[in-house]
Amino acid sequence: MSPRPPDRARRLAFDALRAVNGEGAYANLVLGRLLAERRLDPRDAAFATELTAGTCRRQGTYDLVLERAAGRRTGSLQPAVLDLLRLGTHQLLGMRVPAHAAVAATVDLAAATVGHRVRGLVNAVLRKVAGRDWEGWVEELSAGADRSTALGIRHAHPRWIVEAFAELLPADELEPALAADNASPVPSLVVRPGLVDVAELLAAGATPGQWSPYAAGWDGNPADVAAVAQGRAGVQDEGSQLVAWGLTRPNAAAGRWLDLCAGPGGKSALLAGLSRADGSRLLSAELSVHRAALVAAALRGYPGETSVVVADGTRPAWRPAAFTRVLADVPCTGLGALRRRPESRWRRTPTDLDVLVPLQRALLTSALDAVAAGGLVGYVTCSPHRRETAEVVESVLARRGDVALVPAAEVLPGLPGAYLGDYLQLWPHRHGTDAMFAAYLRREG
């Protein structure tokens, strides 16, 4: 008897997961592309989205489950078969799909994508997975483990990330912080200052932002908002808005502003609008040609008022002390945005820091050299990891006598639980934002 063809939602999720694990794609981007191409109805689109994102999010823990159920290492399985098993496991342990339906549908998907020969394997392994629920598997896998390992299993985080968060948070906040990374955020809109105001977004059905005066929440597809489609507003996490806004709040002379690592352009667009207040002008620099094009697209609402250059921030294409404000939103591990990028927690390793930290120091040094006396630099990461936040700032400051920290509580007051000494550190579980870090520094004369 021929197997039934796989349903379109599961097939889309399989294709997305193969792109993520086989080609290094980003789950949110590949999902958006496939959903646009295949035009699933809203119910199937929601199912495919949860199946893909949820599988990516819990993948490390699911692999431990599959190794127990299959009695073999996941590395011994054909990659496409492993992704099929991961998708089936998420339906069994993370979604409200009846066990018989999850197993049968995944077996049909296996036959249609990999071949009939793997049907028996997929069926046998998933039936063993179905023998316990999520709590049962967590209990078995955590037996005898220390707290960091057990929390990593339960909340699907590698141990090294659990330990990095534990260095910064009170013990009773560690588990809520990990859990917050597994909750999908509501999209946050941002106005382009001078082109639209928040009131227009609220009139269109948005909800007020919690922290940023330029933010509004949108529970739906942002492309449906006219101001977004027209480039007068964008999509940007409130934490990202706050750290960019912070650069503009302390006093500094009017002049040229620099966004040192501008891609994909959200912060540049906000700064471009804010720079109008005193007649300043923004230069956005980005090393990647593709990302520089994204910056230009984000700035399309300010024609003739900004410039975008393809440039390496560590090898400046501008003279020293040429700017009055410089934003250095540096490349980082992205541990602060795990709720948005569910696959990234399994891609990053502690060794990534060995490459990133020297680059971050070099970019901060370049930013400080680029700002004039009396000017401001904002050092920003979308990560709370101490090695790429406070330690970078402190190591650079230790070599210079011409820079002073501006306390974050003075720059952005009224953010409870957001101040780490003189630094700003936001958290999803405290503020509902990405875990953005910012340090504000003034170049002294």
Side-chain angles (χ1 to χ4, degrees), residues 165-207:
F165 287 11
E167 286 185 33
L168 300 166
L169 292 166
D172 62 347
E173 286 193 49
L174 178 56
E175 191 160 9
L178 298 172
D181 279 346
N182 295 330
S184 298
V186 173
S188 179
L189 306 181
V190 59
V191 300
R192 306 295 192 219
L195 306 181
V196 65
D197 57 26
V198 171
E200 181 178 330
L201 300 183
L202 299 182
T207 56

Side-chain angles (χ1 to χ4, degrees), residues 233-245:
V235 180
Q236 187 179 25
D237 177 72
E238 269 200 80
S240 182
Q241 296 177 42
L242 285 173
V243 296
W245 181 43

Side-chain angles (χ1 to χ4, degrees), residues 25-38:
Y26 294 102
N28 61 329
L29 297 182
V30 74
L31 257 175
R33 176 177 60 81
L34 290 175
L35 288 170
E37 289 175 358
R38 302 188 187 181

Side-chain angles (χ1 to χ4, degrees), residues 73-375:
R73 304 290 292 178
T74 54
S76 69
L77 294 166
Q78 182 180 345
V81 173
L82 178 56
D83 280 342
L84 287 163
L85 291 171
R86 289 163 170 163
L87 291 168
T89 299
H90 186 57
Q91 293 171 69
L92 290 166
L93 304 183
M95 300 176 72
R96 296 178 179 178
V97 179
H100 69 277
V103 174
T106 308
V107 169
D108 290 341
L109 182 61
T113 56
V114 178
H116 291 268
R117 60 184 175 79
V118 302
R119 294 179 66 200
L121 171 64
V122 171
N123 181 71
V125 173
L126 290 182
R127 286 186 180 278
K128 289 185 178 179
V129 172
R132 292 183 177 83
D133 61 9
W134 170 254
E135 288 296 331
W137 277 112
V138 167
E139 183 177 350
E140 176 171 326
L141 295 170
S142 303
D146 60 29
R147 182 170 186 255
S148 292
T149 300
L151 285 175
I153 291 169
R154 174 172 292 280
H155 296 288
H157 284 66
R159 180 190 171 94
W160 73 276
I161 297 178
V162 176
E163 292 175 339
F165 287 11
E167 286 185 33
L168 300 166
L169 292 166
D172 62 347
E173 286 193 49
L174 178 56
E175 191 160 9
L178 298 172
D181 279 346
N182 295 330
S184 298
V186 173
S188 179
L189 306 181
V190 59
V191 300
R192 306 295 192 219
L195 306 181
V196 65
D197 57 26
V198 171
E200 181 178 330
L201 300 183
L202 299 182
T207 56
Q210 185 173 6
W211 308 110
S212 166
Y214 308 102
W218 184 260
D219 190 10
N221 183 355
D224 295 336
V225 182
V228 174
Q230 297 160 1
R232 297 183 297 118
V235 180
Q236 187 179 25
D237 177 72
E238 269 200 80
S240 182
Q241 296 177 42
L242 285 173
V243 296
W245 181 43
L247 178 69
T248 73
R249 288 176 56 78
N251 291 330
R256 299 175 69 203
W257 295 7
L258 172 65
D259 189 352
L260 187 65
C261 308
K267 296 182 182 68
S268 272
L270 182 56
L271 292 174
L274 296 175
S275 68
R276 291 172 152 191
D278 62 5
S280 295
R281 290 177 67 91
L282 176 72
L283 173 67
S284 299
E286 171 55 47
L287 178 60
S288 161
V289 174
H290 169 69
R291 287 169 65 85
L294 296 177
V295 177
L299 292 170
R300 69 187 186 276
Y302 302 103
E305 299 181 34
T306 63
S307 300
V308 181
V309 296
V310 176
D312 183 346
T314 66
R315 302 174 65 184
W318 42 82
R319 60 182 174 80
F323 302 95
T324 58
R325 300 181 195 266
V326 179
L327 181 68
D329 179 14
V330 299
C332 68
T333 57
L335 301 186
L338 296 183
R339 58 191 188 143
R340 298 182 188 280
R341 300 167 190 155
E343 76 288 338
S344 63
R345 69 190 72 186
W346 310 114
R347 289 182 177 173
R348 288 297 190 184
T349 69
T351 58
D352 292 330
L353 292 165
D354 298 334
V355 176
L356 287 167
V357 168
L359 174 61
Q360 292 160 353
R361 289 174 182 156
L363 287 167
L364 176 54
T365 299
S366 179
L368 291 169
D369 290 340
V371 75

